[in-house]
Amino acid sequence: MGMTGAGKSTFISLCTQDRAAVAGHGLLSCTSRVTVHTMTYCNRTIHLIDTPGFDDSGRTDGETLQELAFWLAAAYERNIYISGLIYLHRITDTRLQGSAFRALTAFKKLCGPENYCGIVLATTRWDELTPDQMSLASGRQRELCKKESFWGDIHQGGGKVVALSAARIDAMNIIKHIVSKDRRLTLAFQRQLIDEERPIHKTDAGQLLYDASTEDFRQMQDQLSIAEQDFRNIIDTEHSERREELSNFMSNLSQNMKPFENDLARLKMTAKDLKAVWEENLRKDLEDIRRASEINEERLKSRLNQFQSLPNSGYSDTASVTGMSDEVRQLERERDDLFIIKKQKLAGRHSTTTTTTMSVVGTGLAVGQLVAALACTVM
Ligand SMILES: Nc1nc2c(ncn2[C@@H]2O[C@H](COP(=O)(O)OP(=O)(O)OP(=O)(O)O)[C@@H](O)[C@H]2O)c(=O)[nH]1
Ligand SMILES: [Mg+2]
């Protein structure tokens, strides 16, 4: 888990030693963002789950939590347990407030204090600091650990705190730590969603986001009421400029209110309601990937045919040949990325074990495709 840009996918790439975790960005915008990455460590198969961060510009926190709820519920119902949770944080961020603080608090509520011992808190981006900034950054890390509302409670509850360099060895030490503990965690969020059958907004983590969205929504409603009143007051006057200004303001505000309104509805769902929504989302994503692969394949085939039909001599250094070979290379890269994306979505499909060891990176939880794959629900 961690805010967007904290380094979750990079961490996974370091562990798995392939670029799969960071591949395909921007190529396709899938609704589902949870991906599974598998590695072997000391003869054990480890599944690293990459999750979207809160505060992602492409989606609301409600969407993120809803997807996590789907995967976590699916895992729990199939007796697939999480071995550890890794929370990443950029040490270069000088303050922990606003949305970052809310995301951290939501993460804690998602885990529950009884699972703090299974958390690793890791700071990234140390390599970006100048020698002068190092001691300030170390001070910030100490401060994070001291303050209960930051990392203090997790630290006291047995969570491990590490400074993570961009080197593989540090990332692997975290894996080693989690594997050595050999834990099977049931998160508070999973218990509340499944055993207690609470809708998302009545779970501890969900309530936090629901209350925050409700508050934001109310503030916007108040602003809209004031603007509407102002508009009514000048409707029969000559103030056409002001009328236009107010009209634009109201229409923008209504647009901005929609995601909040949708989030409030999203968070009211139960684990049962989520299944239908997310299975449909996953089906659409896979269909999009299939279509994109087909288009890529056709374009690649047609370009290669054109390329091969060119005369062998005299043209090899012309601009058009260079342009075409660049395009072919680009299409080949796209094909490889699409293959990787598809593999991540379906990872574990052929696995039959249900006692898989899991570590969760990112917003913590997305036992995602793996669970779907194990249960073969996403094909
Ligand atoms: N210098 C430096 N850059 C890093 C480090 N970790 C990650 N990055 C860079 O930060 C950017 C974001 O990293 P990601 O791993 O994609 O972040 P993320 O947490 O997966 O972000 P989302 O997927 O948006 O939630 C990338 O350009 C990485 O190369 C680090 O320790 N040092
Ligand atoms: Mg990422």
Side-chain angles (χ1 to χ4, degrees):
M1 182 163 192
M3 296 292 279
T4 184
K8 302 179 289 291
S9 306
T10 306
F11 172 86
I12 290 180
S13 272
L14 283 174
C15 294
T16 56
Q17 287 194 292
D18 70 30
R19 62 185 195 92
V22 287
H25 274 299
L27 189 62
L28 262 185
S29 84
C30 291
T31 308
S32 66
R33 292 276 307 275
V34 168
T35 52
V36 178
H37 307 266
T38 303
M39 61 181 282
T40 307
Y41 174 76
C42 289
N43 292 325
R44 292 183 68 166
T45 303
I46 314 282
H47 299 289
L48 296 166
I49 317 295
D50 196 357
T51 67
F54 285 121
D55 209 26
D56 187 316
S57 60
R59 51 152 58 191
T60 62
D61 285 355
E63 277 174 279
T64 299
L65 189 66
Q66 202 196 48
E67 186 178 6
L68 296 176
F70 169 70
W71 292 121
L72 282 176
Y76 188 48
E77 283 177 333
R78 289 166 180 81
N79 297 326
I80 295 173
Y81 293 98
I82 291 163
S83 301
L85 298 112
I86 304 164
Y87 190 92
L88 299 178
H89 173 78
R90 285 186 302 228
I91 196 64
T92 45
D93 289 352
T94 49
R95 293 212 173 91
L96 182 52
Q97 51 185 202
S99 52
F101 181 68
R102 194 164 68 208
L104 172 66
T105 313
F107 170 72
K108 290 187 204 174
K109 288 180 184 286
L110 212 72
C111 298
E114 65 279 16
N115 290 313
Y116 286 174
C117 56
I119 297 175
V120 175
L121 300 160
T123 44
T124 58
R125 304 228 178 195
W126 287 90
D127 57 302
E128 285 186 341
L129 302 172
T130 61
D132 291 351
Q133 293 167 331
M134 277 288 184
S135 66
L136 278 176
S138 301
R140 274 203 298 280
Q141 179 153 315
R142 276 195 300 277
E143 183 70 21
L144 282 169
C145 296
K146 220 162 55 190
K147 210 163 165 180
E148 198 165 307
S149 62
F150 292 169
W151 293 3
D153 46 2
I154 299 180
H155 192 39
Q156 277 163 28
K160 187 176 168 68
V161 178
V162 295
L164 185 67
S165 76
R168 182 169 191 262
I169 185 148
D170 275 3
M172 286 310 296
N173 278 336
I174 293 181
I175 301 295
K176 189 172 155 191
H177 168 78
I178 290 175
V179 169
S180 72
K181 298 291 176 194
D182 204 20
R183 291 198 165 94
R184 297 282 179 271
L185 308 175
T186 296
L187 306 187
F189 190 52
Q190 291 176 305
R191 193 170 28 78
Q192 291 164 5
L193 272 177
I194 303 298
D195 297 343
E196 298 168 21
E197 296 183 20
R198 299 193 207 179
I200 303 175
H201 75 304
K202 297 279 183 194
T203 63
D204 295 344
Q207 191 153 22
L208 180 87
L209 296 186
Y210 187 81
D211 289 350
S213 287
T214 306
E215 181 55 30
D216 289 343
F217 189 69
R218 275 207 197 112
Q219 281 181 13
M220 289 189 207
Q221 269 180 326
D222 289 348
Q223 284 178 25
L224 191 61
S225 304
I226 294 168
E228 280 168 350
Q229 185 60 49
D230 286 354
F231 192 78
R232 276 195 293 274
N233 290 342
I234 59 165
I235 197 151
D236 295 325
T237 66
E238 299 295 308
H239 297 103
S240 63
E241 252 181 45
R242 176 71 183 140
R243 273 208 308 273
E244 197 181 330
E245 195 184 307
L246 275 173
S247 166
N248 289 339
F249 175 74
M250 288 188 298
S251 123
N252 286 340
L253 197 56
S254 301
Q255 281 299 106
N256 293 343
M257 283 166 78
K258 276 204 183 101
F260 286 89
E261 209 170 358
N262 293 340
D263 251 15
L264 295 179
R266 251 183 220 116
L267 292 172
K268 281 192 176 151
M269 286 193 186
T270 61
K272 273 191 202 130
D273 307 328
L274 286 173
K275 268 183 207 153
V277 173
W278 277 92
E279 277 168 17
E280 179 57 15
N281 285 342
L282 291 164
R283 194 195 59 73
K284 279 197 197 132
D285 280 352
L286 290 175
E287 182 55 27
D288 288 349
I289 297 169
R290 194 190 57 77
R291 212 173 303 125
S293 295
E294 262 174 27
I295 294 170
N296 169 277
E297 207 177 304
E298 270 166 33
R299 286 180 57 202
L300 192 55
K301 211 153 83 188
S302 135
R303 278 291 178 243
L304 284 172
N305 280 342
Q306 280 178 326
F307 206 46
Q308 277 157 9
S309 63
L310 287 173
N312 274 341
S313 60
Y315 291 96
S316 56
D317 57 352
T318 63
S320 68
V321 170
T322 311
M324 207 183 287
S325 62
D326 283 350
E327 197 182 335
V328 166
R329 266 196 295 275
Q330 173 63 24
L331 285 167
E332 282 172 345
R333 265 197 300 272
E334 256 181 50
R335 179 198 55 197
D336 295 347
D337 279 0
L338 283 165
F339 178 76
I340 288 169
I341 294 171
K342 197 166 164 188
K343 200 175 92 186
Q344 289 169 355
K345 300 275 174 206
L346 301 175
R349 184 156 65 91
H350 302 297
S351 172
T352 50
T353 172
T354 52
T355 52
T356 313
T357 299
M358 293 245 191
S359 291
V360 177
V361 179
T363 327
L365 331 146
V367 180
Q369 294 81 5
L370 182 69
V371 174
L374 288 170
C376 286
T377 53
V378 187
M379 285 305 296

